[in-house]
Amino acid sequence: MKPNDGVEVLKGVGDARRDTLKKAGIATLSDLIFTLPRSWRSGTVFPLDPERVGIEACYELTVAAEPTVSFYPGGRRAFKFTAQDDAGTRVTVLYFHQPYLKGQIRKGDVFFFFGALREKKGKLYLFSPERQTERPDPDALLPVYAPLPGLSGKALSKWIDAALLPCLPQIADPLPERVRAAEDLPNLAHALYSMHRPESLAALEKARERLAFDRLFRFSVQAALFNRQTVDIKVPGMTAPKLASFTSRLPYRLTGAQEKVIGEIWDDMCGKEEVPPMNRLLQGDVGSGKTVVAAAAAFLCGVNGKSTLIMAPTEILARQHYAGLSRLFEGTGLPLYLLTGSTTKKEREALYEKTTRKEPYILVGTHALFEDSALCENVALTVIDEQHRFGVRQRDRLNEKGGAFHSLVMSATPIPRTLAMFLYAGSRISVLDEMPPGRIPIQTFYVGEDKKERIYNFLREKVEAGEQAYVVCPLIEDEEDTSPLQSAKEEWEAVQKHLPHVSSALLHGKMKPAEKDEIMARFKAGETKILVSTTVIEVGVDVPNATTMVIVNAERFGLSQLHQLRGRVGRGKIASTCILVSSASSKTVRERLQKLCSCQDGFELANFDLEHRGPGAFFGTRQTGFDGLWDPEILTMPLFQRAGRAARAFVESASPEELAPYEKSYHLN
Ligand code: ADP
Ligand code: MG
């Protein structure tokens, strides 16, 4: 067996399973080996405790009542019973599609159950936990793999077992040996073995540290290289006009913070001689007025006869910027153009006609901007908005085209400075730490699920007053009886049932971009009053008439993410409300949600998250896919800093051959 062999060389993997694995991104044995466990299960017995919700654990429980069979929508049957631990704390246990359990589990029986505790409406659940009658070895550690669509974690485990030993010795270790030695980390084969089959907790911790370090190190080396590349390049310095020639066009006065940041940016780009290309990160909370800062940078370019590209992550945001900036630049003689995925070929050609002339322009668009090399003529500045996925890939791709641009990346996620310096190593950082005047603070409430009825009434009142609302639901992927979209779908059904005369719509990430844009456009136009969605609306959409944000299962989100979501409302002149709905009884969760009610400052919330949940909280990984490397106890700030230091030292001393594998776009994952 070789790492590059297809998975079909394994016993038990036929055509059908090969295809299923392939769909999940596992084509080769090497892919399989790099499919890391989501968590590990030990035989240590824990009491039932809401603080442990979501974590795999073992529970010794007595069946407290005779099991029954319940019917669920879709013809599903669940074998169901209540069980309790020593202290009398109760949990509902459900097994789907296993009617034969009748007779095997009876009132008074004692089992050791393995599973992750769930909480719904304030009650604890175990879904299809594994169970045994003999007391497990408290020191044993068994890997738990996330089930893939159409495959159980157990099947994966079996195949990994078969591939592991034959393949490991043939896997090359990408971490330079001297770095590995200096950092006292195990080699890759050893670490992978310990991840899948840990001999002890200490070995497992060391392996996780090594693999997490790997990711951070690779990211840091690439960031350092990227920033080094631009060091020797120089571009002609620009000449700054009077600030008033820009601000006189605005319908408001700049805040002190905006004025300061515009000054920093203009300073970077201006000079009598040549200057290094600007590489700046602009951080500012939602609504702090980042767009006008970008406009000022584009204005400077225009005055100097140069063009600007502004990239937004979605079509709707690109259109929003295009509309807003068109108004701002009206009559200046600096034209604005729009390019997105839905720009037709003919329109594109007309666009090239204009962009290849020497006259400066501002071109707003989506990723489509980067697929067109024809567009880089005379461009001096690129602005990337809402880049809060921490990939700096787009900026990188532009530079691959050989252009030397000033680069301004704008992030709406307030990132604590220590973390920002790692993620954007080499960038200078500007912060908009002052809100435009007159903003009405968003009232935030935290309520239990039993208050749903009142929330619907509140929504009805708001809609009757002519306002609009968002209802956001997390993706819930880890329960056997629900599909990831179930919670959003159920929520939408509930909204339709309670508010039958109100037009509402469902929006989720699995929809086609065109479909999403259309739903958003109708909401923006006020045709749809209530938008039920997964977190796809997180990114900068501006609908000033939306004044209420309801977040269901709020315990599933990090504070920064909740703050981000909350920032979707409170954009107009009407007082806005954010309602966090959660019945989680965990004390830490309650503290987190209460913090959001009392605090409107994104940086303060981000620091709270960093202290309590670690840097991993900023990647939203629990929402997007998760392996055992993103836990707060592994992904610590010291590890980030250690990897960053090691990477910078490595880049300084490494030969070009050693650096070659890193000369690619960089992003964390
Ligand atoms: P974000 O930082 O979230 O991108 P925007 O640039 O969209 O924020 O600005 C939010 C709103 O605040 C916009 O309606 C904008 O016109 C307004 N705004 C920006 N700067 C000021 C200011 N100095 N005074 C008043 N309103 C402002
Ligand atoms: Mg914005």
Side-chain angles (χ1 to χ4, degrees):
M1 271 189 230
K2 295 202 176 55
N4 284 336
D5 287 346
V7 284
E8 64 277 4
V9 302
L10 291 170
K11 231 171 97 188
V13 181
D15 287 356
R17 284 184 164 154
R18 183 201 57 205
D19 292 345
T20 313
L21 282 165
K22 202 164 177 182
K23 270 206 201 104
I26 303 173
T28 64
L29 297 183
S30 164
D31 296 337
L32 195 60
I33 290 173
F34 279 93
T35 305
L36 302 176
R38 179 179 63 186
S39 58
W40 295 263
R41 207 168 74 183
S42 88
T44 310
V45 173
F46 288 93
L48 291 166
D49 179 351
E51 301 296 327
R52 301 194 64 79
V53 163
I55 302 169
E56 290 291 328
C58 175
Y59 300 99
E60 180 180 8
L61 304 174
T62 308
V63 179
E66 208 54 62
T68 57
V69 174
S70 301
F71 293 86
Y72 284 83
R76 290 173 310 159
R77 277 193 297 175
F79 184 80
K80 183 175 167 186
F81 56 91
T82 314
Q84 65 183 41
D85 66 5
D86 270 357
T89 311
R90 291 188 166 219
V91 62
T92 304
V93 185
L94 286 115
Y95 288 94
F96 286 92
H97 306 300
Q98 297 179 46
Y100 52 83
L101 288 176
K102 206 162 166 51
Q104 290 183 24
I105 301 178
R106 316 217 56 148
K107 183 176 173 188
D109 287 352
V110 176
F111 292 100
F112 294 89
F113 292 95
F114 295 90
L117 218 49
R118 301 289 165 212
E119 188 173 32
K120 270 189 176 176
K121 306 202 164 119
K123 281 186 170 166
L124 295 176
Y125 290 86
L126 280 170
F127 291 99
S128 304
E130 285 177 33
R131 65 182 186 285
Q132 62 188 50
T133 43
E134 65 279 15
R135 182 172 292 279
D137 172 2
D139 294 326
L141 279 166
L142 294 174
V144 179
Y145 299 92
L148 301 171
L151 274 181
S152 69
K154 264 190 170 168
L156 269 178
S157 180
K158 202 176 72 192
W159 294 324
I160 289 170
D161 247 345
L164 203 55
L165 285 181
C167 291
L168 276 185
Q170 307 173 59
I171 289 199
D173 192 336
L175 192 64
E177 179 56 29
R178 62 197 147 99
V179 177
R180 194 185 68 74
E183 294 292 330
D184 189 25
L185 294 164
N187 71 32
L188 181 62
H190 198 130
L192 284 170
Y193 184 81
S194 298
M195 289 293 278
H196 292 294
R197 304 291 172 258
E199 287 143 14
S200 66
L201 193 57
L204 173 60
E205 296 298 275
K206 208 72 192 149
R208 293 170 85 192
E209 181 184 276
R210 148 75 216 237
L211 293 176
F213 182 90
D214 254 24
R215 282 187 190 167
L216 302 176
F217 178 79
R218 184 162 18 105
F219 177 86
S220 304
V221 169
Q222 290 172 334
L225 280 179
F226 176 75
N227 289 306
R228 195 179 67 165
Q229 266 170 23
T230 52
V231 161
D232 334 321
I233 306 171
K234 292 262 170 98
V235 295
M238 296 186 183
T239 310
K242 287 230 153 33
L243 186 60
S245 62
F246 174 69
T247 52
S248 60
R249 319 198 48 82
L250 301 175
Y252 47 75
R253 283 174 59 121
L254 290 179
T255 63
Q258 283 169 323
E259 206 163 296
K260 181 178 117 250
V261 168
I262 290 172
E264 289 167 354
I265 291 170
W266 282 18
D267 277 351
D268 280 355
M269 293 163 65
C270 290
K272 290 206 179 64
E273 320 265 312
E274 297 199 305
V275 296
M278 170 173 73
N279 174 8
R280 197 170 271 283
L281 167 70
L282 171 59
Q283 283 198 53
D285 220 335
V286 272
S288 59
K290 291 184 290 297
T291 317
V292 71
V293 173
F299 179 81
L300 174 67
C301 291
V303 168
N304 284 272
K306 293 288 183 183
S307 302
T308 300
L309 301 183
I310 300 181
M311 198 196 85
T314 63
E315 174 139 6
I316 185 144
L317 283 171
R319 287 182 187 286
Q320 201 167 287
H321 275 322
Y322 175 72
L325 292 170
S326 295
R327 249 175 282 138
L328 192 59
F329 282 96
E330 210 175 274
T332 54
L334 189 61
L336 260 104
Y337 306 123
L338 178 68
L339 177 68
T340 69
S342 53
T343 307
T344 63
K345 198 157 165 264
K346 215 169 128 205
E347 289 166 333
R348 263 174 206 249
E349 273 156 20
L351 194 60
Y352 296 154
E353 179 68 30
K354 296 177 198 146
T355 55
T356 44
R357 287 193 223 127
K358 280 283 175 225
E359 286 85 48
Y361 58 87
I362 298 174
L363 175 59
V364 182
T366 54
H367 292 78
L369 283 182
F370 300 96
E371 271 126 47
D372 257 307
S373 46
L375 292 169
C376 291
E377 201 83 18
N378 211 25
V379 168
L381 167 69
T382 64
V383 179
I384 300 181
D385 191 15
E386 305 291 356
Q387 189 69 15
H388 65 180
R389 290 287 160 224
F390 310 114
V392 195
R393 271 174 288 186
Q394 281 83 3
R395 182 180 64 164
D396 203 7
R397 276 189 62 186
L398 265 181
N399 275 62
E400 277 165 15
K401 287 184 199 296
F405 304 100
H406 295 294
S407 152
L408 180 65
V409 174
M410 306 200 288
S411 166
T413 311
I415 312 164
R417 199 168 176 84
T418 41
L419 190 57
M421 280 166 63
F422 172 84
L423 290 167
Y424 297 92
S427 298
R428 297 202 175 150
I429 299 174
S430 293
V431 180
L432 284 180
D433 51 7
E434 184 186 345
M435 282 289 168
R439 285 224 325 177
I440 311 170
I442 302 162
Q443 286 242 39
T444 306
F445 301 100
Y446 163 28
V447 302
E449 284 176 43
D450 53 322
K451 299 288 187 313
K452 273 282 186 63
E453 205 69 36
R454 282 174 61 183
I455 295 173
Y456 294 124
N457 290 337
F458 182 77
L459 289 176
R460 182 182 300 118
E461 279 168 31
K462 287 288 161 188
V463 171
E464 280 168 4
E467 298 166 31
Q468 291 166 276
Y470 298 101
V471 179
V472 176
C473 312
L475 286 178
I476 299 181
E477 298 193 5
D478 41 18
E479 285 166 20
E480 297 212 357
D481 67 326
T482 50
S483 85
L485 286 175
Q486 194 70 14
S487 69
K489 278 189 188 139
E490 272 172 19
E491 197 52 53
W492 187 39
E493 279 161 21
V495 165
Q496 287 171 301
K497 191 173 140 236
H498 285 88
L499 306 168
H501 304 298
V502 173
S503 70
S504 57
L506 176 67
L507 181 74
H508 59 77
K510 296 249 156 66
M511 290 171 166
K512 294 210 179 69
E515 200 181 347
K516 272 193 271 190
D517 280 354
E518 198 190 313
I519 291 174
M520 253 347 280
R522 258 186 268 136
F523 185 66
K524 231 184 136 157
E527 289 165 37
T528 309
K529 300 299 179 194
I530 298 181
L531 188 67
V532 181
S533 83
T534 55
T535 50
V536 285
I537 56 149
E538 191 184 339
V539 171
V541 173
D542 193 10
V543 182
N545 195 45
T547 56
T548 304
M549 166 65 65
V550 179
I551 304 173
V552 181
N553 286 112
E555 74 277 2
R556 298 248 172 179
F557 298 100
L559 269 184
S560 288
Q561 211 183 358
L562 289 169
H563 178 65
Q564 197 80 21
L565 285 166
R566 173 169 68 176
R568 295 303 119 224
V569 297
R571 304 203 135 210
K573 307 211 164 23
I574 318 166
S576 292
T577 312
C578 173
I579 305 172
L580 308 168
V581 188
S582 172
S583 287
S585 36
S586 149
K587 191 162 153 267
T588 33
V589 169
R590 289 203 316 257
E591 275 168 10
R592 207 164 73 217
L593 297 180
Q594 270 148 10
K595 175 85 193 166
L596 199 76
C597 296
S598 61
C599 175
Q600 301 261 345
D601 178 334
F603 277 96
E604 195 182 324
L605 293 168
N607 275 318
F608 191 92
D609 250 357
L610 185 60
E611 272 165 36
H612 291 84
R613 305 201 314 154
F618 291 89
F619 301 98
T621 39
R622 290 194 185 261
Q623 286 290 312
T624 53
F626 178 70
D627 63 35
L629 299 183
W630 293 100
D631 275 350
E633 71 262 30
I634 290 299
L635 223 51
T636 57
M637 208 53 229
L639 190 68
F640 270 69
Q641 284 157 340
R642 214 174 110 194
R645 271 195 302 273
R648 283 189 294 278
F650 173 70
V651 167
E652 268 170 32
S653 65
S655 67
E657 294 79 56
E658 282 179 305
L659 291 176
Y662 298 94
E663 305 267 356
K664 280 207 205 105
S665 27
Y666 64 98
H667 57 99
L668 255 180
N669 225 322

